Amino acid sequence: MTNIQETRNQMKKTMGNLYGMRTWVEYAFRQCKQELGWTDYRLTQYAQIEKWWEMIMSADLMISLNSQLFW
């Protein structure tokens, strides 16, 4: 299902282009994870996962509060 309002041939082309971009997005995520060292370990205990998300959300909050949108 899609919300793309095009003819069948145009839709095939658009969907193909969108799907082709997926490779580059996954590649970028992989590069970022390697640079940040996130590929070196895996969290399996709930307490570790909870602490990890607390750090992520705190960093996101600090960035959001310092963005130009709120100035």
Side-chain angles (χ1 to χ4, degrees):
M1 309 243 353
T2 180
N3 60 354
I4 299 174
Q5 301 294 323
E6 299 177 350
T7 65
R8 188 171 178 86
N9 288 335
Q10 289 173 331
M11 188 176 356
K12 284 182 183 179
K13 184 177 179 181
T14 303
M15 294 301 289
N17 290 340
L18 291 173
Y19 190 75
M21 293 170 72
R22 178 180 173 191
T23 303
W24 296 108
V25 170
E26 289 179 2
Y27 176 75
F29 280 136
R30 187 179 316 121
Q31 292 293 95
C32 291
K33 286 168 57 177
Q34 287 175 349
E35 283 294 318
L36 294 171
W38 293 356
T39 58
D40 298 336
Y41 59 91
R42 188 176 293 200
L43 302 175
T44 55
Q45 295 178 353
Y46 182 77
Q48 292 176 326
I49 295 169
E50 192 174 38
K51 183 189 274 188
W52 170 254
W53 279 110
E54 187 176 333
M55 290 188 309
I56 295 295
M57 293 301 163
S58 296
D60 181 61
L61 176 64
M62 287 189 283
I63 292 169
S64 297
L65 292 176
N66 287 309
S67 70
Q68 292 296 325
L69 181 65
F70 295 109
W71 288 73

